[in-house]
Amino acid sequence: MSDPTYGRSNLPRAGRLQAPSQLEVMTAADAVLFRNWLRQVGWTQQSEGPLGELLNFGDSTVALPRELWRDPIVAVGVAERIASAMNRDLRDVLRRLVVPLTDRIEFRLVGLALENGRIPLGAASEALKNGRRLLSATGTSAIAPARSVARRYRPAAQQLARDAELAHTEDGSFIFPLVITLERTTDPLITFDQDSVVPEPYERRVTRTLATAVASAVNLTGRSIDQLRDDDLDTASSVGVSRELCLSLDEMVRNSSVDEVAISFEWSPAFGPTDSLPTTVYVPREIRPQLRKLARRLARPEPIPSEVYSGPILEIGHSSEDDDQDGFFFVLDTYFRERKASCE
């Protein structure tokens, strides 16, 4: 794993699988993560012996050698059989072998108008553009939760959104898979022992927050948005729900040909259990009005509690609400909830 380009630009392509150079640097830990991922996505163990195990998926059975990582040619053959059984692109399965430290987010566009095998370019463009915006907004909320991100996007979040990779889609589908590499440094990849849990990296924190935030936003649309309390909005923002996230979800289903967007998550098994996280969240087109209402509620200024604040005075003025009441106001440049704010 000392190669700094491990799992990035030199991934094996379908036309070069006879010389899978990246598979030659697999370790036993990579093979363990690959096996764990297979179980996450539905493969079950049929039997186990000293040389490996037999796994089932539907009507298919695949032998998984215990020392798969030692033989790249055997690894390619196993990946081909797994890809065929799952009707999945081979390169995606190979990625799980050579880059096990990845999370995958799929945006599936569903609609009766899409059954003719074509999609409006605008709908596809909105899916990709707002997928990137979701990562930027959630990456910011994962560090500093707030009801509205406004223009305060974190550089790390924007960099993660730029680095996300669009994977190959299945034939005949309108699925946009984004692959998030969980170890993006140029240093050697982290090492870990079998069955150990590695401290959660920032990238996993973002994908986890995104799954929780999208599910929470969709759940809130089932309630009366106008009757939500400030405590409800604070709780939602604490798990990543923001004005920008709601607007991005709204725009994903704006095109009349898209009836629903299904957002699915596949997690790397390297960073602890993910059983409590959503695996698929459905965003139907009919909740657009509720999403817009929620975005407007989140855009309102947050109430500032009665506390002592200090900082330079930006503005002092005189206001007259009506003929019977005059008053003065001032705007203070200070910090509110650990972020810069202008308090009036």
Side-chain angles (χ1 to χ4, degrees):
M1 287 194 181
S2 59
D3 183 357
T5 63
Y6 174 80
R8 305 284 294 183
S9 60
N10 293 329
L11 279 172
R13 298 179 181 273
R16 295 194 289 118
L17 294 181
Q18 297 305 316
S21 60
Q22 288 300 304
L23 294 178
E24 294 174 358
V25 297
M26 276 199 308
T27 68
D30 294 336
V32 169
L33 290 180
F34 181 67
R35 181 198 65 194
N36 293 345
W37 171 74
L38 289 174
R39 292 180 177 177
Q40 277 185 358
V41 295
W43 289 81
T44 57
Q45 186 184 80
Q46 174 180 314
S47 61
E48 185 176 12
L51 298 180
E53 56 188 320
L54 290 178
L55 299 179
N56 286 341
F57 186 88
D59 297 330
S60 301
T61 301
V62 171
L64 191 67
R66 189 174 303 280
E67 303 213 343
L68 174 73
W69 59 281
R70 293 187 181 276
D71 193 329
I73 303 302
V74 171
V76 170
V78 170
E80 288 175 337
R81 289 189 288 275
I82 289 172
S84 176
M86 299 179 71
N87 192 26
R88 196 159 186 161
D89 186 70
L90 175 60
R91 285 169 291 189
D92 180 52
V93 177
L94 284 171
R95 179 184 290 275
R96 286 292 176 177
L97 269 171
V98 301
V99 195
L101 301 181
T102 57
D103 285 345
R104 175 183 169 112
I105 307 168
E106 284 188 354
F107 300 96
R108 178 188 289 269
L109 307 187
V110 181
L112 293 176
L114 307 181
E115 293 180 355
N116 60 3
R118 296 190 298 272
I119 185 172
L121 184 59
S125 175
E126 290 290 346
L128 290 173
K129 179 178 69 176
N130 287 289
R132 180 173 174 176
R133 286 180 176 176
L134 285 174
L135 289 174
S136 294
T138 308
T140 300
S141 297
I143 300 174
R147 294 186 187 182
S148 178
V149 175
R151 294 191 176 97
R152 299 183 298 272
Y153 287 97
R154 295 278 176 146
Q158 293 178 310
Q159 185 64 44
L160 184 148
R162 284 193 293 267
D163 286 351
E165 298 176 340
L166 181 64
H168 193 281
T169 61
E170 291 85 352
D171 291 339
S173 69
F174 297 114
I175 300 176
F176 301 91
L178 298 184
V179 176
I180 311 298
T181 302
L182 304 179
E183 184 68 19
R184 296 185 295 122
T185 66
T186 56
D187 299 325
L189 293 178
I190 56 178
T191 58
F192 44 88
D193 298 324
Q194 181 175 344
D195 299 326
S196 67
V197 177
V198 179
E200 182 182 67
Y202 168 68
E203 296 82 6
R204 162 55 61 82
R205 186 177 176 185
V206 173
T207 58
R208 175 175 55 80
T209 302
L210 177 58
T212 304
V214 171
S216 299
V218 172
N219 287 337
L220 284 175
T221 62
R223 301 170 57 181
S224 174
I225 302 299
D226 293 333
Q227 294 181 5
L228 292 177
R229 301 172 302 169
D230 284 330
D231 289 346
D232 296 325
L233 297 177
D234 288 338
T235 300
S237 66
S238 71
V239 296
V241 179
S242 65
R243 170 183 176 272
E244 289 69 23
L245 178 133
C246 293
L247 291 178
S248 293
L249 294 177
D250 169 57
E251 291 182 6
M252 274 193 168
V253 288
R254 180 172 61 180
N255 194 289
S256 60
S257 65
V258 178
D259 298 331
E260 180 180 75
V261 174
I263 305 177
S264 302
F265 300 86
E266 285 185 7
W267 313 96
S268 166
F271 301 102
T274 56
D275 297 341
S276 61
L277 296 175
T279 54
T280 302
V281 182
Y282 298 94
V283 185
R285 192 166 186 269
E286 55 263 26
I287 70 170
R288 287 191 66 208
Q290 289 289 85
L291 284 171
R292 291 196 294 270
K293 284 184 180 180
L294 182 57
R296 286 195 292 270
R297 285 291 311 271
L298 292 167
R300 295 177 187 175
E302 299 180 50
I304 298 177
S306 299
E307 297 177 3
V308 176
Y309 296 92
S310 62
I313 295 175
L314 298 178
E315 185 181 357
I316 298 178
H318 175 267
S319 63
S320 178
E321 298 275 339
D322 51 49
D323 295 336
D324 300 325
Q325 184 178 4
D326 291 338
F328 291 89
F329 72 91
F330 68 91
V331 179
L332 191 67
D333 185 16
T334 184
Y335 281 84
F336 174 59
R337 293 185 181 175
E338 299 182 352
R339 60 182 175 84
K340 205 167 185 62
S342 297
C343 299
E344 182 176 339

